[in-house]
Amino acid sequence: MRLHRNLVFAVIDSIRDIFNEGVYADKAVEQALRRDKRWGARDRKFVAETIYEIVRWKRLYAEIANVKAPYARPDLWRMFAVWCVLKGIQLPDWNQIEPTPTRRIKGKFDELSKIRKFREAIPDWIDEVGLQELGEKAWTKEIAALNKQADVILRTNTLNISKDKLQKILSSEGIETEFVKGHDDALKLVERANVFKTQAFKKGYFEVQDASSQLVAPYLDVRPGMKVVDTCAGAGGKTLHLASLMENKGQIIAMDIYESKLKKLKVRARRNGVHNIDTKVIDSTKVIKKLHGKVDRVLIDAPCSGLGVIRRNPDSKWKLEPEFLDRIRTTQQEVLQQYSKMVKTGGKLVYATCSVLPSENQQQVDFFLASDAGKDFSFVKDNKVLASESGFDGFYMALLERK
């Protein structure tokens, strides 16, 4: 591979913004790809994937390069040189690239690869939490799986098209896909591509949604005509899936504390041809109290550490802090206690997270069921999805029923 100066400079500038300025990786990549409209698909792929690679392996590369945060520009070039050596890419004769001891880099890599926190490039505290909660064998497998690049998975919008027809239409637009076993509406891209430019996307034939995430809405056991609340809807990936499963019939109330996210959901709903969604900003307890005992199904896609989805958000490893994990566990229980009151007798609730930690998952459900608010509920089933077993994101979902 021959390195092009303008592409590499875009990478260096982006990782500087991510590491030193706290810019989110997806935003940095988006900004980088706007630098030069003349870049082709291969150039754009190089820039995006190289940024994500260096972000994903930051701790390992920084240790090998012997540099520490905040990173000066020469430090970033040293990390880039480490990436090149480990990828087998010949280093160009540029002023920014210092003489690079290739043998020492490879030797250091072999040495550090024996230590999990360096091999998997994670902070000490995350390694300790994972080890404590999952055990040595399971955590070692899981964190290795969570460091692999995520596949691009589409969810067919069955309101508008069948999965078979969508596959054929995408193929006609030059995008090849495969079915995903055990996921009724999912298609996996054979090669990464910008699917948002396709006519199929513009016509609302699909949404991008990981296969594990696609398991959550069906777990709620919805039917057309029901009254359903998605309590932490965000931009509405699971809300739209619920609408599809309900055949656009009944009522879905999508709630969130952020109005900006619900505005994005409205845009997506229009594109999807969905018209049974009402949005409500949670700006007081009144929003919840008005629905006490009146809802057939409640989805609590709870705020969490996001440790199950670090494959697609590798910079979250460096932004996450132990204090946040403690706070979010408290929030999860508060949400369960309050939002569960909307479920009517005989109704059902799903508690879900995109975390692999038992303390955010089954332990939260157990604590809720043992509480006063949970005494009216019975546990039906749960699903612990590990990336190391599924090949997709780590997720958890539990189905509870009000007696």
Side-chain angles (χ1 to χ4, degrees), residues 7 86 120 167 184 198 226 289 301-302 337 392:
L7 301 180
L86 295 178
E120 304 302 347
Q167 187 177 49
D184 294 343
T198 62
M226 282 185 167
K289 286 178 179 175
D301 184 20
Q337 297 281 332
F392 303 110

Side-chain angles (χ1 to χ4, degrees), residues 193-358:
N194 186 355
V195 294
F196 301 113
K197 287 188 173 179
T198 62
Q199 287 302 307
F201 177 74
K202 292 170 185 175
K203 290 178 179 178
Y205 290 167
F206 68 85
E207 289 289 328
V208 175
Q209 186 178 6
D210 187 77
S212 297
S213 178
Q214 291 187 39
L215 297 173
V216 176
Y219 217 66
L220 198 56
D221 186 29
V222 294
R223 290 189 291 277
M226 282 185 167
K227 186 169 191 167
V228 177
V229 173
D230 184 353
T231 61
C232 307
K238 298 178 186 69
T239 315
L240 295 170
H241 196 182
L242 288 168
S244 185
L245 294 170
M246 293 168 66
E247 300 170 12
N248 240 344
K249 297 168 185 173
Q251 181 189 25
I252 301 172
I253 302 171
M255 299 181 175
D256 203 274
I257 59 173
Y258 299 109
E259 186 176 11
S260 59
K261 291 184 178 181
L262 295 177
K263 284 181 179 176
K264 290 179 182 176
L265 167 55
K266 287 180 181 179
V267 173
R268 295 173 76 185
R270 281 197 295 273
R271 189 182 64 248
N272 277 254
V274 171
H275 50 71
N276 67 334
I277 296 173
D278 295 321
T279 60
K280 283 192 187 301
V281 180
I282 304 173
D283 52 9
S284 73
T285 56
K286 289 179 184 176
V287 177
I288 309 299
K289 286 178 179 175
K290 282 181 181 177
L291 292 167
H292 279 188
K294 296 178 181 176
V295 180
D296 296 297
R297 300 285 188 269
V298 170
L299 171 60
I300 300 175
D301 184 20
C304 68
S305 66
L307 280 175
V309 294
I310 57 174
R311 300 183 315 151
R312 61 189 71 257
N313 301 306
D315 54 323
S316 65
K317 293 187 289 186
W318 317 119
K319 290 181 168 63
L320 200 59
E321 295 175 344
E323 297 77 19
F324 174 82
L325 192 54
D326 292 334
R327 288 197 305 273
I328 211 67
R329 290 190 191 108
T330 301
T331 302
Q332 288 163 351
Q333 195 54 225
E334 287 171 352
V335 164
L336 252 176
Q337 297 281 332
Q338 295 305 314
Y339 296 174
S340 61
K341 293 173 183 175
M342 291 186 282
V343 183
K344 70 183 188 183
T345 302
K348 295 177 181 177
L349 175 153
V350 163
Y351 171 80
T353 77
C354 52
S355 174
V356 295
L357 299 180

Side-chain angles (χ1 to χ4, degrees), residues 59 114-144 147 307 310 317-318 320 322 325 357:
R59 184 174 188 184
K114 295 169 185 171
I115 306 165
R116 184 178 50 233
K117 63 187 180 183
F118 290 117
R119 179 178 70 244
E120 304 302 347
I122 45 174
D124 288 359
W125 76 269
I126 290 182
D127 192 43
E128 288 161 12
V129 169
L131 186 61
Q132 180 185 342
E133 295 209 20
L134 293 177
E136 179 90 33
K137 187 177 178 182
W139 172 241
T140 299
K141 286 171 62 179
E142 190 63 11
I143 190 58
N147 265 327
L307 280 175
I310 57 174
K317 293 187 289 186
W318 317 119
L320 200 59
L325 192 54
L357 299 180

Side-chain angles (χ1 to χ4, degrees), residues 134-167:
L134 293 177
E136 179 90 33
K137 187 177 178 182
W139 172 241
T140 299
K141 286 171 62 179
E142 190 63 11
I143 190 58
L146 288 171
N147 265 327
K148 291 178 180 172
Q149 187 183 52
D151 292 313
V152 178
I153 310 291
L154 312 181
R155 177 184 59 76
T156 309
N157 178 13
T158 53
L159 292 173
N160 293 339
I161 198 168
S162 70
K163 184 169 67 172
D164 289 11
K165 283 184 180 177
L166 174 60
Q167 187 177 49

Side-chain angles (χ1 to χ4, degrees), residues 3-193:
L3 295 173
H4 297 276
R5 196 182 292 266
N6 60 342
L7 301 180
V8 175
F9 269 76
V11 170
I12 296 295
D13 289 345
S14 298
I15 60 174
R16 175 204 61 205
D17 292 345
I18 296 164
F19 295 161
N20 292 349
E21 306 300 329
V23 175
Y24 284 95
D26 58 342
K27 298 298 179 189
V29 169
E30 196 178 301
Q31 192 174 349
L33 296 180
R34 288 202 295 261
R35 281 173 71 137
D36 194 331
K37 290 180 180 177
R38 295 170 297 176
W39 289 347
R42 188 178 295 178
D43 296 334
R44 297 166 69 83
K45 182 180 179 184
F46 169 84
V47 170
E49 292 189 358
T50 306
I51 292 168
Y52 277 120
E53 279 261 308
I54 295 174
V55 170
R56 181 172 285 115
W57 303 110
K58 178 181 84 163
R59 184 174 188 184
L60 178 62
Y61 293 170
E63 191 72 19
I64 293 172
N66 194 27
V67 297
K68 288 182 169 55
Y71 303 104
R73 203 162 182 82
D75 296 338
L76 299 171
W77 280 102
R78 288 185 194 111
M79 290 170 73
F80 178 75
V82 168
W83 176 82
C84 288
V85 169
L86 295 178
K87 284 281 183 181
I89 298 168
Q90 187 173 351
L91 288 164
D93 185 20
W94 297 347
N95 292 338
Q96 293 83 2
I97 297 177
E98 302 167 0
T100 303
T102 301
R103 186 177 293 180
R104 190 193 69 77
I105 286 172
K106 290 179 178 177
K108 192 71 175 172
F109 173 78
D110 291 340
E111 178 190 325
L112 293 173
S113 292
K114 295 169 185 171
I115 306 165
R116 184 178 50 233
K117 63 187 180 183
F118 290 117
R119 179 178 70 244
E120 304 302 347
I122 45 174
D124 288 359
W125 76 269
I126 290 182
D127 192 43
E128 288 161 12
V129 169
L131 186 61
Q132 180 185 342
E133 295 209 20
L134 293 177
E136 179 90 33
K137 187 177 178 182
W139 172 241
T140 299
K141 286 171 62 179
E142 190 63 11
I143 190 58
L146 288 171
N147 265 327
K148 291 178 180 172
Q149 187 183 52
D151 292 313
V152 178
I153 310 291
L154 312 181
R155 177 184 59 76
T156 309
N157 178 13
T158 53
L159 292 173
N160 293 339
I161 198 168
S162 70
K163 184 169 67 172
D164 289 11
K165 283 184 180 177
L166 174 60
Q167 187 177 49
K168 288 174 184 173
I169 287 172
L170 286 170
S171 181
S172 73
E173 293 198 59
I175 294 175
E176 300 302 326
T177 59
E178 300 171 344
F179 289 175
V180 182
K181 188 178 178 182
H183 297 78
D184 294 343
D185 303 327
L187 289 172
K188 181 174 81 170
L189 265 61
V190 174
E191 288 186 11
R192 301 180 78 82

Side-chain angles (χ1 to χ4, degrees), residues 374-391:
K375 68 179 186 298
D376 295 330
F377 285 83
S378 57
F379 174 84
V380 180
K381 59 181 179 176
D382 68 357
N383 186 8
K384 308 174 187 74
V385 185
L386 293 174
S388 55
E389 295 173 358
S390 68

